[in-house]
Amino acid sequence: MEESNHEGSAEKFFRDFGKKFDQFLVEAKDASTRVEADLKKKFEELQVAADKFKNDAENKERWKEVEASLKKAGEELNNAVKAAFKKGQ
């Protein structure tokens, strides 16, 4: 009888262990799903920030070109005005 009691305890232990292990697997899967979702969200946020940074950098370069062109046009206009008044005198 003692031997069957021992076998019953072992069966109960493994049954409880199996249930706890199954629960652990479910919780681990849920946790990995949450982590994956969080990582995807952070990755998307980083992509948006990178695109914004790229656009800002490109816009700054474009505005540098516009500024240089306007400066050159202003110098040419200044030279044209000086030439027009010089010839008129």
Side-chain angles (χ1 to χ4, degrees), residues 71-89:
K71 185 176 180 181
K72 184 176 179 182
E75 290 170 357
E76 290 177 8
L77 180 60
N78 187 32
N79 290 338
V81 169
K82 285 181 183 177
F85 284 110
K86 193 185 255 188
K87 290 181 183 180
Q89 292 177 344

Side-chain angles (χ1 to χ4, degrees), residues 5-88:
N5 191 18
H6 181 67
E7 287 178 16
S9 296
E11 288 175 8
K12 183 176 187 248
F13 169 79
F14 284 113
R15 186 174 46 247
D16 289 345
F17 177 79
K19 287 179 184 178
K20 288 178 183 178
F21 189 74
D22 288 344
Q23 183 62 31
F24 170 78
L25 290 177
V26 168
E27 290 175 7
K29 184 178 178 184
D30 288 345
S32 70
T33 301
R34 285 191 306 269
V35 168
E36 183 180 355
D38 288 345
L39 288 175
K40 282 182 181 179
K41 182 180 177 186
K42 292 294 182 189
F43 181 73
E44 290 170 0
E45 290 173 1
L46 287 173
Q47 282 183 318
V48 168
D51 288 344
K52 184 178 183 306
F53 180 75
K54 180 182 174 188
N55 289 336
D56 288 349
E58 288 174 355
N59 285 338
K60 286 179 183 176
E61 288 300 315
R62 189 181 90 220
W63 285 112
K64 284 181 184 177
E65 291 176 21
V66 169
E67 183 181 2
S69 296
L70 288 174
K71 185 176 180 181
K72 184 176 179 182
E75 290 170 357
E76 290 177 8
L77 180 60
N78 187 32
N79 290 338
V81 169
K82 285 181 183 177
F85 284 110
K86 193 185 255 188
K87 290 181 183 180

